[in-house]
């Protein structure tokens, strides 16, 4: 009995060590690309700012109902690194708070669109040639034919402009890309031997889809998710720019850019600082996504 | 594609998108480019705000429309800078003893742009057309004018349904159109107005039928209206008077400043951010503050909770920081003490006005029917997207209300949406910020247009007062011919409205304008020298009185 336990423990240790080595190897491959590491650092830094904003921001109360007309349009200085806006609020604090909204939008949107899009893609791909596949893919085509920003604007215009509604608005058209991606992978994977074997052994469709095919799509889906984060945040910023995002006083990067645009070039910092913040966050996710893609493709 | 290429492409794309976002301000039209194709275009005054959609005085009523009307057409009487009126198309007039019949003598030396002489029948035609169409400023005469006819070429008679004290003053909004020209251009394929087809509305969108100092030269839909000097104008021309004018849709602060810097804009519009005026002043522009005939109003919907309670409304009024508004957001503006601007006839100068006092606001809140129901302390506020300064006012108010525990939800709303929302009680927000000015310079117009039940459902009254007692008081005052008596009644009405507190009278509309140093604009000179000068909207930009000094350009 003791021998059996020792053997199991030994096997567990080996598995853990293998996983650790795998992880180490993955990190090694990831770290080979320096720009990907920069991307990861940016994303982590932004995430820290978003999560710990109340403690990190120099003036956290400036993100709420606050005005200070004695300090309006103050240029970047020691007290206000990114200056203040037209009602005297610290722009850096508001950017840090806006990161939280941007992350919520990105993650929330992906949490909605990925499961739905992936499931639709699996069903359509596995049943390729059947009516259900045709139906799903034609619906997908209809949604794909409408530019995501236009669709989001329409949805936001109908609903009240809030973060949650922006999230819904972006999600309405974003799932189609995951559906397309998984559809093409599934329609090819369904002819693989291991899928055929599972079918012959009488495995259920759900088992085949979620246990046999889905794990093989994870890499591509995960890479796309990383790359999409940046684009979703950018779309959210565009909504904010046209007034369809978060409403005042809640900070939103797009709204801040729009508010400052009318003061350019005199008070450039009001618009440029949040614009740079958008650039940094999108760039971070894109570089990270590149790295993830390289890492996963080399593993394959 | 290599990883490096992809990365570079991603970086480039991000940079382009961000720069695109930051630079996505409305593109200014290129008036200079347009103008360079024309001769004599240097002597021009260009004013940018929004495109005057309806240059037909029977239809349009927005500020830029008023500017176009004042320059393309002649009114029956002309406003003076002290709020009174003087003869213009009508050389004189008499009023019957009962105050119900006005008889006007029409000048016989006025030519329309077509070259034809202006006759009394054109005046009667214009009034009947205005009343039939029922748009523009027709509300000033609708129900008041019973009949308008021309017994001969020199005389026009207007019979009223009831006495209307400020009738002569209101006629500054009554412009004369050439009957023959309009009738020659009516569209009979539609029967909107029976035998008059479309009453020439379509043709008058891009043409004029007036006798004003300028005639339409070019109308580019959604962009601008350009007028050129009418050499045969009956009052003649002075040296250096501008040969052309242009009213464009150049609205965005950045576009205004850029056009001003490039000398492509002679007069920069009102309600730009203070920062923009400061920059224009640095360029040598003359920034002047226009005396207010109207004011900044925060209209409170008196039919929707929680602003349906007068004490709740008063709490809001006491929570607004008027001093900061006039000191920091709209510097140079005077505080309002009620619905009527201090310079208008009929103003009640005894009203104390509301002040920023959070203790008083709490006291009012405790008297409110919602005192024990803080869940209802939610106020929706719409601010006009076209006026950036309103966001600052909203944010300031939001911060104040937070102190009271009231939640203020702010929404940036385009004016067109605001107008649409104003059509029903349910869709009208609790509070809406609107800049309003009277059509003619008397308290009566403020009451009639802003607080009479007849104006509900329009952007001019989002308060939805629907108060029969007030309606009767207003009608009674307006029908009073005796000036002293009418003034007394006006003051009583203002006090009555003040107690209802349907509006937060934020401050007077002492709007700023900026003018190029090579332009002489009489009104600006008055403003600069603090000479009291009141003009109804549109007449303040009467370009005939301006001068353009090309040698200084």
């Amino acid at each position: 009995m003791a021998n059996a336990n020792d053997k199991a423990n030994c096997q567990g240790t080996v598995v853990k060590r293998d996983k650790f080595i795998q992880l180490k190897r993955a990190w090694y491959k990831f770290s080979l690309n320096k720009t990907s590491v920069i991307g990861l650092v940016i994303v982590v830094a932004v995430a820290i700012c978003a999560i710990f904003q109340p403690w990190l921001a120099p003036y956290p109360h400036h993100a709420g109902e606050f005005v200070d007309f004695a300090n309006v349009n103050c240029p970047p200085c020691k007290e206000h690194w990114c200056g203040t806006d037209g009602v005297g609020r610290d722009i850096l604090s508001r950017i840090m708070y806006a990161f939280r909204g941007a992350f919520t939008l990105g993650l929330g949107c992906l949490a909605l669109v990925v499961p739905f899009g992936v499931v639709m893609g699996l069903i359509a791909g596995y049943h390729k040639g059947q009516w259900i596949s045709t139906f799903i893919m034609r619906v997908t085509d209809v949604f794909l034919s409408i530019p995501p920003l236009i669709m989001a604007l329409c949805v936001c215009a109908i609903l009240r402009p809030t973060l949650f509604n922006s999230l819904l608005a972006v999600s309405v058209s974003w799932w189609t890309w995951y559906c397309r991606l998984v559809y093409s992978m599934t329609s090819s994977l369904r002819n693989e031997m291991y899928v055929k074997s599972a079918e012959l052994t009488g495995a259920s469709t759900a088992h085949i889809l979620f246990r046999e095919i889905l794990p093989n799509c994870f890499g591509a889906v995960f890479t796309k998710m990383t790359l999409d984060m940046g684009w979703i945040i950018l779309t959210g910023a565009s909504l904010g720019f046209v007034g369809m995002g978060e409403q005042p006083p809640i900070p939103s990067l797009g709204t801040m850019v729009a508010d400052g645009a009318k003061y350019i070039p005199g008070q450039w910092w009001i618009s440029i600082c949040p614009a740079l913040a958008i650039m940094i966050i999108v760039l971070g996710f894109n570089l990270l996504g590149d790295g993830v893609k390289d890492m996963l493709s080399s593993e394959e | 594609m290599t990883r490096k290429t992809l990365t570079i492409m991603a970086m480039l794309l991000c940079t382009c998108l961000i720069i695109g976002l930051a630079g996505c301000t409305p593109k200014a039209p290129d008036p200079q480019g347009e103008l360079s194709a024309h001769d004599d275009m240097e002597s021009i005054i260009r004013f940018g705000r929004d495109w005057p959609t309806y240059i037909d005085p029977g239809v349009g009523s927005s500020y830029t429309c008023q500017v176009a009307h004042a320059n393309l057409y002649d009114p029956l009487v002309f406003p003076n800078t002290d709020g009174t009126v003087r003869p213009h198309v009508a050389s004189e007039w008499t009023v019957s003893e009962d105050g119900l019949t006005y008889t006007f003598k029409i000048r016989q030396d006025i030519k329309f742009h077509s070259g034809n002489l202006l006759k009394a029948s054109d005046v009667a035609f214009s009034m009947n057309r205005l009343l039939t169409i029922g748009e523009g400023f027709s509300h000033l005469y609708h129900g008041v004018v019973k009949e308008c006819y021309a017994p001969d070429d020199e005389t026009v008679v207007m019979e009223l349904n009831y006495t209307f004290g400020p009738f002569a003053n209101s006629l500054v909004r009554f412009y004369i159109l050439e009957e023959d020209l309009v009738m020659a251009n009516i569209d009979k394929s539609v029967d909107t107005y029976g035998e008059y087809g479309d009453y020439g509305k379509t043709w008058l969108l891009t043409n004029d039928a007036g006798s004003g100092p300028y005639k339409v030269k070019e109308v580019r839909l959604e962009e601008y209206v350009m007028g050129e000097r009418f050499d045969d104008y009956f009052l003649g021309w002075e040296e250096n008077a501008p040969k052309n004018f242009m009213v464009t849709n150049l609205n965005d602060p950045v576009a205004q400043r850029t056009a001003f810097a490039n000398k492509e804009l002679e007069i920069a519009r009102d309600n730009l951010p203070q920062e923009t005026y400061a920059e224009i002043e640095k360029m040598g522009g003359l920034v002047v503050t226009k005396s207010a005939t109207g004011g900044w109003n925060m209209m409170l919907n008196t039919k929707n909770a929680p602003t349906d309670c007068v004490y709740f409304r008063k709490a809001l009024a006491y929570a607004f920081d008027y001093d900061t508004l006039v000191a920091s957001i709209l510097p140079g503006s005077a505080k309002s003490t009620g619905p009527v601007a201090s310079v208008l006839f009929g103003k009640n100068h005894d009203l104390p006005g509301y002040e920023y006092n959070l203790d008083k606001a709490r006291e009012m809140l405790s008297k409110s029917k919602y005192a024990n129901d803080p869940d209802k302390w939610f106020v929706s506020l719409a601010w006009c997207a076209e006026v950036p300064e309103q966001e600052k006012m909203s944010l300031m108010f939001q911060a104040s209300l937070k102190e009271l525990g009231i939640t203020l939800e702010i929404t940036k709303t385009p004016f067109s949406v605001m107008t649409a929302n104003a059509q029903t009680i349910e869709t009208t927000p609790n509070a809406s910020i609107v800049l309003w000015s009277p059509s003619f310079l008397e308290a009566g117009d403020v009451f009639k247009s802003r607080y009479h039940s007849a104006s509900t459902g329009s952007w001019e009254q989002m308060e939805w007062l629907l108060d029969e007692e007030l309606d009767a008081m207003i009608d009674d005052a307006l029908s009073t011919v005796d000036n002293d008596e009418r003034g007394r009644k006006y003051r009583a009405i203002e006090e009555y409205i003040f107690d209802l507190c349907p509006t937060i009278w934020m401050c007077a509309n002492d709007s700023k304008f900026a003018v190029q140093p090579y332009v002489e604009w009489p009104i600006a000179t008055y403003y600069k020298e603090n000479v009291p000068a009141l003009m109804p909207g549109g007449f303040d930009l009467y370009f005939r009185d301006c001068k353009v000094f090309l040698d200084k350009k």
Side-chain angles (χ1 to χ4, degrees):
Chain A
M1 189 70 182
N3 276 346
N5 278 343
D6 287 347
K7 201 175 173 182
N9 282 340
C10 188
Q11 276 178 342
T13 313
V14 170
V15 169
K16 274 183 188 169
R17 199 194 311 138
D18 281 353
K19 277 192 175 169
F20 179 72
I21 291 167
Q22 246 180 333
L23 210 65
K24 215 172 158 186
R25 195 182 296 152
W27 168 250
Y28 173 72
K29 283 172 186 167
F30 182 83
S31 61
L32 280 178
N33 184 352
K34 299 297 172 211
T35 53
S36 306
V37 178
I38 293 172
L40 181 66
V41 170
I42 291 173
V43 169
V44 170
V46 169
I48 289 171
C49 285
I51 296 165
F52 301 105
Q53 180 271 342
W55 298 279
L56 293 177
Y59 305 94
H61 56 292
H62 286 210
E65 293 101 335
F66 175 84
V67 288
D68 176 12
F69 286 98
N71 277 314
V72 296
N73 299 329
C74 172
C77 58
K78 208 169 73 179
E79 289 80 23
H80 304 283
W81 290 1
C82 293
T84 63
D85 63 11
V87 290
R89 298 173 298 191
D90 181 60
I91 291 172
L92 178 62
S93 303
R94 292 180 62 75
I95 287 174
M96 290 170 87
Y97 197 94
F99 279 152
R100 183 182 288 193
F103 260 82
T104 310
L105 178 73
L107 293 174
C109 186
L110 288 177
L112 282 178
V113 303
V114 173
F116 185 71
V118 166
V119 170
M120 288 294 117
L122 282 172
I123 296 170
Y126 188 66
H127 296 289
K128 190 178 180 182
Q130 296 176 30
W131 69 268
I132 190 158
S133 172
T134 311
F135 176 74
I136 291 172
M137 294 322 292
R138 292 302 76 78
V139 171
T140 308
D141 289 342
V142 169
F143 276 92
L144 278 172
S145 66
I146 306 168
L149 186 60
I150 303 294
M151 173 73 103
L153 277 173
C154 293
V155 176
C156 268
I158 295 166
L159 305 170
R160 279 172 57 214
T162 60
L163 178 66
F164 181 71
N165 288 339
S166 301
L167 196 152
L168 280 182
V170 177
S171 303
V172 165
S173 56
W174 218 278
W175 64 272
T176 50
W177 299 105
Y178 289 90
C179 183
R180 271 259 163 227
L181 175 72
V182 175
Y183 166 79
S184 60
M185 294 187 76
T186 309
S187 54
S188 127
L189 289 172
R190 69 182 186 143
N191 297 318
E192 292 290 327
M193 284 306 292
Y194 63 90
V195 176
K196 294 290 176 199
S197 306
E199 282 172 353
L200 285 173
T201 54
S204 67
T205 307
H207 175 91
I208 293 167
L209 290 180
F210 295 109
R211 303 296 294 273
E212 305 294 343
I213 298 177
L214 183 59
N216 290 292
C217 301
F218 271 150
V221 170
F222 187 65
T223 307
K224 181 156 177 58
M225 281 170 69
T226 333
L227 288 166
D228 274 359
M229 266 297 278
W231 288 110
I232 291 170
I233 289 169
L234 202 57
T235 308
S238 307
L239 285 176
F241 188 83
V242 293
M244 293 292 176
E246 282 281 36
Q247 293 301 302
I250 302 167
S252 140
L253 294 171
T255 312
M256 290 168 77
V257 174
D259 286 346
K262 45 188 176 282
Y263 303 117
I264 284 177
Q267 287 77 36
W268 54 267
W269 57 89
I270 303 177
S271 199
I272 296 296
C273 290
L276 282 174
I278 298 174
M279 196 184 86
I280 288 169
I281 193 170
V282 173
L283 186 66
F285 274 109
N286 281 356
L287 295 178
L288 177 67
D290 270 353
V292 170
K293 190 178 74 183
D294 292 349
M295 185 179 77
L296 293 174
S297 60
S298 63
E299 271 190 5
E300 278 165 16
Chain B
M1 207 178 284
T2 65
R3 185 175 59 234
K4 202 173 266 182
T5 317
L6 272 172
T7 309
I8 291 168
M9 279 180 68
M11 287 174 74
L12 276 173
L13 195 60
C14 286
T15 312
C16 291
L17 282 165
I18 300 301
I19 291 170
L21 268 179
C24 267
T25 47
K27 187 178 174 285
D30 181 13
Q32 192 62 55
E34 297 294 339
L35 299 183
S36 56
H38 304 273
D39 296 333
D40 242 351
M41 276 294 120
E42 286 296 300
S43 175
I44 185 169
I45 291 191
R46 285 160 290 199
F47 173 69
R49 198 174 197 258
D50 53 72
W51 173 60
T53 317
Y54 300 109
I55 57 171
D56 176 355
V59 182
S61 64
S62 74
Y63 179 69
T64 45
C65 290
Q66 292 169 22
V67 173
H69 300 162
N71 287 285
L72 298 171
Y73 292 87
D74 278 314
L76 198 60
V77 297
F78 203 88
N80 292 316
T81 51
D82 62 355
T84 59
V85 294
R86 66 173 185 263
H88 195 68
V89 170
S91 56
E92 58 183 271
W93 61 91
T94 55
V95 189
S96 64
E97 272 188 24
D98 60 4
L100 291 173
T101 306
Y102 282 71
T103 306
F104 299 92
K105 281 283 167 208
I106 305 301
R107 283 182 70 135
Q108 295 300 294
D109 58 346
I110 301 177
K111 273 186 185 173
F112 282 114
H113 299 154
S114 63
N116 298 326
L117 280 173
L118 188 151
K119 303 184 297 288
S121 58
D122 294 307
V123 179
F125 168 80
S126 302
M127 177 56 83
N128 292 328
R129 179 177 182 271
L130 181 66
L131 293 174
T132 306
I133 292 176
E135 296 174 30
F137 285 104
S138 64
H139 63 275
L140 296 174
Y141 317 109
H142 192 77
V144 177
V145 178
K146 183 177 163 189
E147 198 179 358
C148 179
Y149 56 91
D152 56 59
D153 275 355
E154 294 181 31
T155 315
V156 169
V157 178
M158 290 189 196
E159 289 182 6
L160 310 190
N161 280 312
Y162 51 84
T163 50
F164 184 55
F167 185 65
N169 279 3
S170 75
L171 288 172
V172 295
R173 295 296 185 194
F174 172 46
Y175 294 95
I176 318 303
L177 290 83
E178 184 180 0
E179 180 179 8
D180 293 344
L181 191 59
V182 173
M183 290 307 288
N185 289 287
I186 59 174
D187 181 0
K188 286 203 169 173
S189 64
V190 292
D191 63 347
T192 317
Y193 304 106
E195 60 175 309
Y196 294 101
D198 72 339
Y199 235 139
K201 279 169 78 174
T202 308
W203 186 76
L204 285 166
L205 273 175
T206 50
N207 298 278
D208 79 81
S211 59
Y214 293 88
K215 55 187 179 182
V216 166
K217 182 169 188 173
E218 189 179 358
V219 174
R220 188 164 286 188
L221 297 182
E222 308 275 344
E223 281 192 37
Y224 62 78
V225 170
M226 192 197 295
E228 63 180 345
R229 187 195 280 188
F230 175 46
D231 290 328
D232 287 341
Y233 189 58
F234 75 104
L235 291 176
W237 289 95
E238 287 188 22
E239 200 182 347
N240 292 322
K243 291 181 180 166
N244 303 278
F245 82 86
M246 182 188 257
V247 180
T248 77
N249 66 355
L250 194 77
N251 184 45
D252 181 75
V254 178
Q256 286 254 329
R257 195 204 50 238
T258 309
F260 199 90
N262 295 338
K263 294 191 169 68
E264 292 166 356
L265 187 73
E266 276 66 38
I267 299 176
R269 75 170 172 93
D270 51 337
N271 298 322
L272 290 172
Q274 299 305 317
E275 293 82 355
T276 308
Y277 289 119
E279 285 177 24
I280 285 178
E281 220 157 22
K282 278 186 207 162
M283 295 171 200
L286 172 68
V287 176
V288 290
T289 305
K290 176 189 162 190
S291 306
T293 56
W296 292 86
N297 293 265
M298 190 183 292
M299 303 179 177
L300 304 174
N301 184 336
T302 60
K303 295 292 177 280
N304 279 353
T307 44
D308 57 340
C309 171
V310 65
Y311 290 109
F312 196 92
R313 294 198 297 270
K314 285 187 177 179
L316 296 183
Y318 281 117
F320 192 83
D321 191 346
Y322 305 92
D323 291 320
T324 304
L325 177 70
V326 298
S328 302
I329 302 176
L330 298 169
S333 293
K335 285 198 276 184
S336 290
T337 57
V340 180
S342 60
V343 291
L344 293 189
F345 169 71
K347 168 70 187 168
N348 187 337
H349 291 283
D350 296 331
L351 293 178
Y354 289 91
E355 57 179 353
Y356 179 56
N357 186 331
L358 288 181
D359 290 333
K360 268 192 174 176
R362 283 191 191 94
E363 186 190 325
M364 291 296 153
L365 210 49
S366 67
K367 289 181 182 172
S368 153
K369 65 178 176 182
Y370 300 109
N372 300 317
D373 195 1
D375 289 345
K376 292 246 171 87
W377 295 4
F378 177 89
V379 177
S380 55
L381 182 146
W383 65 274
C384 188
E386 289 82 355
V387 188
E389 297 304 88
Q390 289 190 6
E391 186 179 18
K392 294 180 185 173
M393 302 172 194
S394 309
L395 290 169
M396 181 182 75
F397 194 37
Q398 191 179 48
S400 288
L401 291 185
K402 193 189 168 196
E403 306 265 315
L404 299 176
I406 298 172
T407 305
L408 183 75
E409 185 194 60
I410 297 171
T411 311
K412 178 182 180 181
T413 314
F415 186 66
S416 54
V417 177
M418 221 177 213
T419 310
N421 288 344
Q423 289 173 4
T424 65
I425 291 174
E426 293 72 26
T427 52
T428 306
N430 289 115
S432 311
I433 302 181
V434 172
L435 182 59
W436 188 90
S437 293
S439 307
F440 59 92
L441 305 177
E442 231 186 88
D445 186 47
V446 179
F447 303 141
K448 181 80 179 178
S449 302
R450 289 276 292 108
Y451 298 107
H452 195 281
S453 296
S455 67
T456 52
S458 76
W459 67 270
E460 292 189 282
Q461 194 196 145
M462 289 191 257
E463 286 91 347
W464 292 95
L465 264 179
L466 299 168
D467 185 322
E468 287 179 9
E469 190 183 340
L470 178 63
D471 292 349
M473 289 167 77
I474 295 171
D475 292 338
D476 175 45
L478 286 172
S479 63
T480 305
V481 179
D482 181 75
N483 277 353
D484 293 339
E485 179 67 5
R486 195 164 75 249
R488 193 184 59 74
K489 287 178 178 175
Y490 282 160
R491 288 189 283 278
I493 293 171
E494 192 175 8
E495 192 172 345
Y496 182 89
I497 295 172
F498 182 83
D499 287 337
L500 287 176
C501 192
T503 310
I504 298 178
W505 300 287
M506 302 158 79
C507 71
N509 171 28
D510 292 315
S511 314
K512 285 187 174 177
F513 285 85
V515 59
Q516 292 281 9
Y518 56 84
V519 171
E520 187 182 298
W521 178 26
I523 295 290
T525 312
Y526 291 140
Y527 297 155
K528 193 188 167 196
E529 292 166 3
N530 288 324
V531 177
L534 293 175
M535 286 300 241
F539 288 98
D540 45 2
L541 282 167
Y542 187 63
F543 299 119
R544 179 178 166 270
D545 287 347
C546 298
K547 303 272 188 301
V548 178
F549 298 99
L550 295 177
D551 51 327
K552 291 184 188 171
K553 197 168 180 177

